[in-house]
Amino acid sequence: MTRTVLVTGSSRGLGATIVKTLAEQGFKVVINYYKSKDPAEKLVSEIGEQNAIAIKADVTNRKEVDTLIKRATEYFGQIDVVVNNALIDFKFDPNKQKTFTELTWDDYQKQLDGTLKAAFNVVQSVIPQFIERQNGSIISIGTNLYQNPVVPYHEYTTAKAGLIGFTRNIASELGVYGIKANVVSGGLLKTTDASAVTTPEVFDLIAQSTPLKKVTTPQDVANMVAYLSSENANGITGQNFTVDGGLTMN
């Protein structure tokens, strides 16, 4: 049976690459967006309405998430995989990143809400149907920066590090229902909207530091997400897969 995958924040950037990759591999896709309606609808037209739907929702708002899950489920019959990809108002700009002494707790709270609260909302909303079917997969997008902060993006990296703990607890508790939960942690991606302002010097530094001598691309991460979304990954849970050309090694 064809699997249906919901990807949050998937009208642009990495999310759009994930959606396209999944569709090319035969998955049905739910494209979630908040502000970027036109790119989302363009993706649907490219993939086809029989295999894709675009639904607006602020994933930090539980009521909107519940509506998102309800509409997606009604459209495709069920959701098999959720990918927590949405990123809230953050740019990888080493020249404008606040130092720790300049940061406020509101800066941290924004990223905690955009990463952890959003994942909590999506997972808790979809979980009843996963439990009922005794199957389901949760994939969250992390970062290798928690391991190797080439640039100290404090608030972003802290929220993403928390996502690993969140995921492993979900995996531990819900595995009895056949539910898997994993994280895919990419390196700094070349190039997405969030990394468009990253300086060439930073990209060059990262490339020269990796065994593969290359910067990670959105496609590299999307390929891992597609694998974890497939039945081939049914025996994998509680893991953090780092896709960064070997820059960090576990």
Side-chain angles (χ1 to χ4, degrees), residues 14-147:
L14 173 60
T17 302
I18 291 172
V19 162
K20 291 176 184 177
T21 301
L22 290 166
E24 288 168 359
Q25 295 189 21
F27 293 89
K28 296 182 184 299
V29 291
V30 181
I31 302 161
N32 160 246
Y33 69 95
Y34 180 46
K35 295 178 180 178
S36 303
K37 179 180 180 180
D38 290 344
E41 292 184 343
K42 184 173 183 289
L43 275 174
V44 172
S45 67
E46 292 173 0
I47 296 168
E49 292 184 358
Q50 71 277 16
N51 293 315
I53 183 175
I55 304 175
K56 178 181 178 179
D58 174 1
V59 288
T60 66
N61 183 308
R62 179 56 183 268
K63 289 184 178 179
E64 292 189 26
V65 169
D66 287 344
T67 300
L68 165 66
I69 297 298
K70 184 175 183 290
R71 285 189 59 197
T73 302
E74 289 173 347
Y75 193 84
F76 285 122
Q78 65 185 52
I79 299 172
D80 301 285
V81 182
V82 293
V83 180
N84 295 308
N85 168 74
L87 177 62
I88 306 296
D89 296 331
F90 193 83
K91 298 291 185 184
F92 298 102
D93 188 341
N95 295 320
K96 294 185 178 180
Q97 170 64 28
K98 294 179 182 178
T99 64
F100 179 72
T101 55
E102 294 170 333
L103 287 163
T104 66
W105 182 250
D106 286 342
D107 294 318
Y108 276 86
Q109 193 65 58
K110 179 185 290 186
Q111 293 309 310
L112 289 169
D113 285 349
T115 296
L116 289 173
K117 184 179 181 181
F120 171 86
N121 286 342
V122 172
V123 172
Q124 201 170 69
S125 186
V126 80
I127 272 305
Q129 62 176 281
F130 282 7
I131 292 175
E132 182 180 355
R133 292 197 309 273
Q134 299 283 290
N135 196 13
S137 182
I138 300 153
I139 304 166
S140 297
I141 303 301
T143 179
N144 70 344
L145 287 169
Y146 87 97
Q147 219 175 334

